[in-house]
Amino acid sequence: MEPKLGNFFIFRGKLILDEDKTDDKILYFHPKSEDVMIKSRIVGLSEAVINFTEDFTDEPCQYLYTTTTCQVFQVVEDNICFVMTVINDNKKSKCCVGLYQTILNIAYRTFCFFHGNCSYILKNNNSDYSCLSKYLECFFDSYLSTLSASSFNLLNAEGYMKFFCLEKNNFMRVYCSMNRLSSSFSDIACTALFFNDEIVWSGLHHSDMRILYYYVTKCLLPRSRETTNEAGTPKINQYGKFLHGPSDLSKDNKPTLPLVHICNGNEVVKSYHLVVYAALSSTLCMLVNGKTPPNEQWFRNIHDYLDVQQSALATDIYEEWISRKQENSSSPTYIYINGADFSSKRSNKSIVEPACSLIADMHYTWKFNESDYSELIVQHSHSDLWVVKRKDYDKEQFIVLTDSLNFSQISDELRNCNYDENFSLQLWD
Amino acid sequence: MSTQDSSEKKENSVEHGAFVTTDSFNDLADAYSSPKLLSVSNRNQEVSSSNSYDERAQLYPEDDEDTLYVESEEFKREDKHVFVLSKAGKPVYSLHGNEDKLVTKMATIIGLISVAESIRKKDTLKEIVAGNRKIVFVVKEYLVLVAISSRGQSTSYLNLLLNYVHNQILCLLTYTKLKWKFDNRSNFDLRNILAGDNTDKFFSNLISDFDINPSYMLCSVRCLPVPDNIRNSLGKVIANAGSKNINKIAFALLICDNLLTTESLVPICFPHFDNAGYLFAFLSFLDANLCLILITASDEDQLLNMRETKKQILEKAHKPLSVIRQIATERPNYEVSAIGIPELRHFMYKNRMSAQWHAPNFTSPFSTPDEQSKLIQLYESVHAAMHTPGCPLMTFWKAADRHNIMATSTNEHEVYAIFSPLTSKAVAHYSMQKIIKWVKKEETKYVIWNSPTF
């Protein structure tokens, strides 16, 4: 059995000294069916562990291992603590705490993206914690359902974005059309274009883009694919449609748009309406300024403007994508990860165990005292499996070699391979 | 604070009770007249905000030094902590500070463990990490052991340390005695049967040795390099003399160390051999460096018998012993340059068949104790990677700013080698083969192959 989500809870630490008021202390708890007694023990243990570590260090408590579980902590703001427990009953499959920390962090950041952070909500609701609790419940009940067992799989590289780097002519076309769109519709503050689940263009800062990416690829697109399949093939003449916006432009009904919040540290800096428009395999996200959502006419204008243009763009990108896919089929198995802009790229070949857990160890677990190493090569016992990690500041590159080679041959092999290091999209602010 | 310091401090506090220095008496008068003296209940808050040990000693002169110390920033920031406590939360040992003053912390540890167990069946607390602090728990049948470290050591290494500490306790008491005491009274104070500061020194020495001696992590021993023929002839003499002893000697060891003690017969329990009972070790120092240890199962008239055996050994093994004495004084060991690879800076070789290891002397750039300790840590991190649970490695290579490091592991041996940072992979690969070849040639000197039996 693969590791799975055990529980996910949010509580107020330290502020409440009265032990009887445990209910006020817990702001959110998943699963709801958990026994009240167990619930308070779980929260109590987390709090006790955090307090215990404070006797020995000033740094915040990060995680806890028991025989069958791994619990990660993140104290976010004003002593509000997010905790996630992953259960791993199978001794053979590995718990990867670094991955769980990323998942927890993204969960919090996604909440902030859609609702503003906790102090922002409290400020707007007279510091009413029960109100905050409702916001958390409303959000996390649906959010946690998107966390499937595969989210806890080591190699899903949660939290990393996939970029599709276009060749320069296509990229310039995308760049120009995005610029033209922003200048034609002045209330569009920012745009991001996806092709399938890869980013082609983004005007957002990468830390916010990471959250938007997660939302679009894990929630929005899978949901829209389901509804498209139910409705059968779309009408030939109508390529484009709104995923966030009016579903039917002929009717005058006001769509409800999600409000997204761009946070800088602990402060909500600006809020926008999120409009999403899809044409063929491309998806365009637009962050729109304004106190109220745009009116029906605005949506009609956007549709008229984008419908043909974006579909044509999507067709060209598709052609490049197909030709690129064929080219890459002979390259070795690899993963690139760029920690600076949270991007990742991988070969089409799937990576199996034990390469998978070796990569996870090399990426998350092995923290050598000398952090500035440039190359790490390991060979698994009893097999011809080699995993190479090359590191340049935040950029990491993993190459999996399965041929029967000795160490000196590995170095020759690596010299012969000219790996493409340009996998990150240059973000033009 | 070094081990020695802490043990000295303990001795002081034992002799003087609440130990107060003369300087503090003056401060005492000041403090009582000053409004800074707070009630006990809100004292903790004040303690956490004040940083210096001295400052607080002035603030709360009614507390003895031990109490102030365990609440101080100094205690909080100690590089490493080891706690041993009974399942009922009774303190047994603490590396730093007087364990009597750590009752609250020990109770918290027991609380954490029991709550974790109550949430999920058969679930035991294993590890907590906060920043660079790692807290590892080992829960045994009667004892709980906790290690807190900020030295970047792997979890398995800290687990190993705690298991050694546990075995050290069994070595002194036997499992049977431990079981009997705790089964009769679960809140038994184990310190009643441990010999106080004397046994604390065993633990503290073991814990500090862990940081500088790779024997523990390699699970192997290091031998004094002695020519093969000398070792064999001495072995024959010992085996011969031992078999003449009426009570039969089970094991005999000749160890080389710089401790000096008188002749004695000590009960000792080997937990992996038989955790229920004692064997008796006859310890006899042949000179300042060499110690002969004869181990037997019976203690009847042993001291006399053992003296006789020792006498025989000394008489008959005069020649090999004089060579060994010479070696023990000079401690000759090879240099890394003997291998003939300029890029090679240091290496560590473990022979897996005999569970023995050896390494060249520390030379530049590892000439200072600080550099040597860092090197051991580096070896430890690579050793942990090589022995990743469920995913062991055969080859490891890391190219870094300061050193390149390579490790290989086969059924026969494990080799860990440090190279200069510009060393190429091809040179490193060739060097590893050359090291193994050299070691094979010299092996009889550095590894004991044939142990004669009684």
Side-chain angles (χ1 to χ4, degrees):
Chain A
M1 267 233 305
E2 289 285 308
K4 60 174 196 277
L5 182 68
N7 55 48
F8 184 103
F9 56 93
I10 301 156
F11 70 93
R12 294 166 71 188
K14 286 193 178 164
L15 291 173
I16 301 176
L17 293 168
D18 190 350
E19 287 294 326
D20 298 332
K21 288 185 175 175
T22 22
D23 275 356
D24 290 354
K25 186 189 274 280
I26 306 172
L27 295 171
Y28 176 75
F29 198 99
H30 168 91
K32 289 202 163 50
S33 56
E34 190 69 272
D35 179 74
V36 180
M37 195 56 201
I38 299 285
K39 214 192 263 187
S40 67
R41 268 188 210 162
I42 291 172
V43 177
L45 177 66
S46 299
E47 200 172 13
V49 164
I50 291 172
N51 289 340
F52 179 66
T53 55
E54 282 171 3
D55 281 352
F56 298 99
T57 177
D58 293 333
E59 290 176 89
C61 182
Q62 289 163 307
Y63 60 89
L64 151 77
Y65 269 115
T66 68
T67 327
T68 59
T69 66
C70 174
Q71 194 166 59
V72 286
F73 302 88
Q74 193 180 0
V75 178
V76 292
E77 3 162 4
D78 285 341
N79 285 318
I80 293 175
C81 186
F82 278 56
V83 185
M84 182 174 80
T85 312
V86 178
I87 297 176
N88 182 17
D89 286 323
N90 183 357
K91 278 187 182 161
K92 277 184 189 162
S93 53
K94 201 171 214 157
C95 261
C96 186
V97 72
L99 173 69
Y100 308 152
Q101 283 174 316
T102 310
I103 293 175
L104 184 67
N105 183 263
I106 290 182
Y108 167 66
R109 295 283 314 279
T110 312
F111 173 75
C112 294
F113 192 66
F114 286 105
H115 293 286
N117 60 16
C118 300
S119 46
Y120 175 82
I121 294 170
L122 287 169
K123 201 175 84 188
N124 292 343
N125 292 284
N126 305 319
S127 298
D128 182 359
Y129 277 89
S130 62
C131 190
L132 172 64
S133 182
K134 279 188 194 110
Y135 271 99
L136 292 167
E137 184 176 339
C138 164
F139 177 79
F140 282 108
D141 277 354
S142 67
Y143 181 83
L144 293 178
S145 65
T146 66
L147 285 182
S148 57
S150 67
S151 308
F152 298 101
N153 185 308
L154 297 176
L155 274 197
N156 273 353
E158 288 291 345
Y160 291 105
M161 300 179 272
K162 274 193 249 170
F163 288 96
F164 181 54
C165 303
L166 293 170
E167 57 83 27
K168 59 179 186 278
N169 283 343
N170 269 347
F171 184 75
M172 283 315 281
R173 281 187 59 205
V174 171
Y175 181 60
C176 290
S177 77
M178 289 300 126
N179 263 351
R180 217 161 42 229
L181 177 71
S182 298
S183 57
S184 314
F185 297 86
S186 57
D187 38 9
I188 296 178
C190 214
T191 52
L193 182 68
F194 290 75
F195 182 76
N196 289 327
D197 57 356
E198 291 173 57
I199 301 166
V200 175
W201 156 261
S202 159
L204 250 91
H205 188 266
H206 49 73
S207 61
D208 296 311
M209 190 59 215
R210 185 187 188 194
I211 307 302
L212 183 64
Y213 175 81
Y214 191 84
Y215 170 69
V216 170
T217 57
K218 300 280 176 194
C219 310
L220 193 61
L221 290 181
R223 213 190 304 152
S224 96
R225 274 177 208 131
E226 275 172 29
T227 48
T228 317
N229 287 346
E230 278 167 25
T233 41
K235 287 171 195 161
I236 294 162
N237 289 338
Q238 195 194 338
Y239 293 118
K241 61 169 183 176
F242 287 100
L243 298 183
H244 277 313
S247 51
D248 192 345
L249 285 166
S250 56
K251 290 175 193 160
D252 269 2
N253 51 355
K254 214 166 179 152
T256 48
L257 291 177
L259 204 60
V260 299
H261 307 267
I262 303 296
C263 299
N264 184 4
N266 268 350
E267 240 176 271
V268 173
V269 178
K270 197 131 201 249
S271 305
Y272 302 97
H273 303 281
L274 175 65
V275 177
V276 182
Y277 187 83
L280 297 173
S281 299
S282 71
T283 310
L284 176 65
C285 298
M286 291 163 271
L287 301 192
V288 184
N289 277 318
K291 281 193 174 139
T292 53
N295 58 26
E296 294 80 3
Q297 191 53 48
W298 187 88
F299 283 109
R300 277 193 206 107
N301 292 344
I302 285 280
H303 175 71
D304 291 343
Y305 183 92
L306 286 177
D307 189 15
V308 178
Q309 192 183 318
Q310 195 183 326
S311 304
L313 217 51
T315 315
D316 290 347
I317 297 172
Y318 176 76
E319 271 163 23
E320 193 183 333
W321 188 76
I322 277 290
S323 64
R324 207 76 87 69
K325 208 174 172 182
Q326 285 160 350
E327 271 172 34
N328 284 347
S329 59
S330 63
S331 68
T333 318
Y334 65 84
I335 301 181
Y336 298 136
I337 291 174
N338 187 343
D341 64 1
F342 307 110
S343 59
S344 89
K345 185 187 178 182
R346 65 175 65 191
S347 55
N348 300 321
K349 291 174 197 162
S350 62
I351 298 170
V352 290
E353 288 294 355
C356 211
S357 67
L358 276 175
I359 292 175
D361 276 335
M362 289 162 110
H363 178 59
Y364 290 111
T365 316
W366 293 346
K367 304 268 184 264
F368 294 107
N369 290 329
E370 296 169 90
S371 51
D372 287 328
Y373 62 91
S374 54
E375 190 179 57
L376 206 57
I377 302 177
V378 300
Q379 180 191 22
H380 184 252
S381 282
H382 325 299
S383 74
D384 289 325
L385 175 78
W386 291 85
V387 180
V388 179
K389 173 181 176 178
R390 285 165 166 182
K391 189 167 161 284
D392 184 16
Y393 294 97
D394 290 324
K395 282 188 183 177
E396 290 175 22
Q397 176 190 49
F398 297 92
I399 302 148
V400 180
L401 299 163
T402 46
D403 308 313
S404 173
L405 299 164
N406 70 28
F407 186 70
S408 54
Q409 288 167 323
I410 287 289
S411 53
D412 293 338
E413 184 84 2
L414 290 175
R415 207 174 298 127
N416 295 338
C417 295
N418 193 13
Y419 294 102
D420 159 35
E421 294 219 22
N422 253 334
F423 62 94
S424 291
L425 191 68
Q426 293 301 312
L427 296 176
W428 299 6
D429 288 324
Chain B
M1 185 182 289
S2 76
T3 324
Q4 206 184 346
D5 287 345
S6 71
S7 60
E8 272 172 14
K9 196 173 138 268
K10 267 182 207 160
E11 273 162 27
N12 278 342
S13 57
V14 168
E15 280 170 29
H16 303 284
F19 182 71
V20 187
T21 61
T22 37
D23 285 348
S24 325
F25 278 117
N26 299 331
D27 300 331
L28 192 91
D30 290 347
Y32 270 116
S33 58
S34 82
K36 277 179 187 169
L37 193 68
L38 301 167
S39 70
V40 177
S41 59
N42 60 3
R43 196 193 63 198
N44 284 344
Q45 258 180 319
E46 182 72 22
V47 166
S48 59
S49 60
S50 66
N51 289 328
S52 145
Y53 177 83
D54 292 339
E55 256 174 50
R56 272 172 315 92
Q58 288 174 16
L59 274 176
Y60 313 113
E62 86 279 21
D63 284 337
D64 60 291
E65 280 198 359
D66 287 354
T67 311
L68 289 170
Y69 170 62
V70 300
E71 286 168 6
S72 67
E73 283 289 310
E74 283 92 327
F75 180 81
K76 181 175 174 176
R77 305 208 181 288
E78 288 289 0
D79 212 22
K80 190 185 236 174
H81 286 281
V82 174
F83 302 127
V84 182
L85 51 151
S86 74
K87 280 262 173 96
K90 274 249 160 74
V92 175
Y93 168 77
S94 167
L95 176 61
H96 300 292
N98 182 342
E99 66 277 359
D100 266 334
K101 307 294 176 192
L102 290 163
V103 176
T104 339
K105 286 195 172 71
M106 305 244 177
T108 313
I109 292 170
I110 294 296
L112 293 177
I113 290 169
S114 66
V115 174
E117 273 171 9
S118 75
I119 292 169
R120 272 173 77 83
K121 274 176 200 162
K122 291 181 189 167
D123 219 19
T124 318
L125 198 57
K126 290 279 182 203
E127 181 186 344
I128 301 173
V129 170
N132 66 353
R133 273 287 197 197
K134 187 177 263 186
I135 308 174
V136 172
F137 300 81
V138 168
V139 181
K140 295 282 182 185
E141 199 176 347
Y142 299 103
L143 296 173
V144 172
L145 302 100
V146 184
I148 302 177
S149 166
S150 49
R151 293 174 65 98
Q153 286 141 327
S154 67
T155 308
S156 53
Y157 193 64
L158 294 172
N159 264 319
L160 185 71
L161 168 68
L162 294 179
N163 276 303
Y164 262 95
V165 173
H166 187 250
N167 279 341
Q168 178 95 61
I169 293 172
L170 294 183
C171 189
L172 295 164
L173 298 176
T174 74
Y175 171 76
T176 319
K177 197 163 176 184
L178 199 70
K179 183 177 163 60
W180 187 72
K181 289 288 180 193
F182 281 113
D183 282 352
N184 278 335
R185 233 174 77 206
S186 61
N187 67 345
F188 176 72
D189 191 339
L190 197 65
R191 285 171 306 166
N192 290 343
I193 50 171
L194 286 169
D197 281 356
N198 284 335
T199 47
D200 279 5
K201 264 178 213 163
F202 283 151
F203 300 134
S204 307
N205 287 344
L206 171 71
I207 292 161
S208 60
D209 199 34
F210 241 80
D211 290 338
I212 48 168
N213 189 346
S215 296
Y216 302 100
M217 83 178 166
L218 292 173
C219 294
S220 52
V221 291
R222 190 176 188 176
C223 304
L224 189 72
V226 172
D228 204 18
N229 54 341
I230 301 286
R231 211 189 319 257
N232 286 344
S233 61
L234 178 70
K236 271 178 205 155
V237 173
I238 295 178
N240 210 348
S243 55
K244 280 183 193 159
N245 191 306
I246 318 156
N247 288 345
K248 284 279 157 76
I249 288 167
F251 306 105
L253 293 103
L254 184 65
I255 63 165
C256 167
D257 215 322
N258 49 7
L259 290 164
L260 195 62
T261 178
T262 48
E263 208 166 72
S264 57
L265 193 66
V266 209
I268 182 169
C269 166
F270 295 102
H272 290 292
F273 178 71
D274 175 13
N275 65 15
Y278 288 118
L279 293 176
F280 293 87
F282 171 78
L283 299 173
S284 166
F285 274 79
L286 306 180
D287 64 17
N289 289 320
L290 285 181
C291 177
L292 176 71
I293 305 173
L294 303 171
I295 295 164
T296 164
S298 154
D299 67 338
E300 281 172 48
D301 301 325
Q302 272 302 316
L303 207 53
L304 277 176
N305 280 330
M306 290 298 186
R307 278 195 188 131
E308 182 56 34
T309 309
K310 178 192 162 190
K311 215 175 118 193
Q312 286 177 20
I313 293 171
L314 284 179
E315 275 168 13
K316 290 187 182 164
H318 180 73
K319 208 176 146 195
L321 270 177
S322 67
V323 178
I324 291 174
R325 273 203 184 99
Q326 177 86 12
I327 293 171
T329 321
E330 289 168 4
R331 299 288 179 98
N333 190 18
Y334 57 94
E335 303 270 323
V336 71
S337 54
I339 316 295
I341 299 156
E343 290 90 344
L344 185 64
R345 289 176 168 179
H346 194 260
F347 72 90
M348 208 163 67
Y349 177 91
K350 175 187 171 178
N351 184 305
R352 292 180 84 147
M353 324 279 258
S354 64
Q356 292 174 42
W357 71 278
H358 53 88
N361 287 332
F362 290 118
T363 42
S364 173
F366 309 110
S367 359
T368 65
D370 186 44
E371 285 292 337
Q372 288 162 16
S373 159
K374 276 186 193 154
L375 177 65
I376 301 293
Q377 269 186 57
L378 180 62
Y379 277 135
E380 196 276 313
S381 64
V382 178
H383 182 270
M386 287 294 281
H387 296 82
T388 306
C391 200
L393 303 179
M394 198 143 83
T395 314
F396 178 99
W397 161 263
K398 185 180 82 165
D401 288 358
R402 296 194 61 215
H403 317 286
N404 287 358
I405 178 159
M406 185 163 180
T408 56
S409 169
T410 66
N411 289 335
E412 282 171 31
H413 54 244
E414 282 173 37
V415 187
Y416 300 82
I418 311 278
F419 298 95
S420 61
L422 294 175
T423 312
S424 70
K425 287 191 270 293
V427 170
H429 178 66
Y430 164 75
S431 306
M432 294 305 264
Q433 291 170 336
K434 208 168 167 192
I435 291 171
I436 292 163
K437 220 170 161 184
W438 183 87
V439 162
K440 281 241 165 75
K441 204 178 78 202
E442 303 281 325
E443 193 133 66
T444 51
K445 197 169 165 190
Y446 298 100
V447 173
I448 302 176
W449 277 111
N450 312 308
S451 303
T453 48
F454 295 114

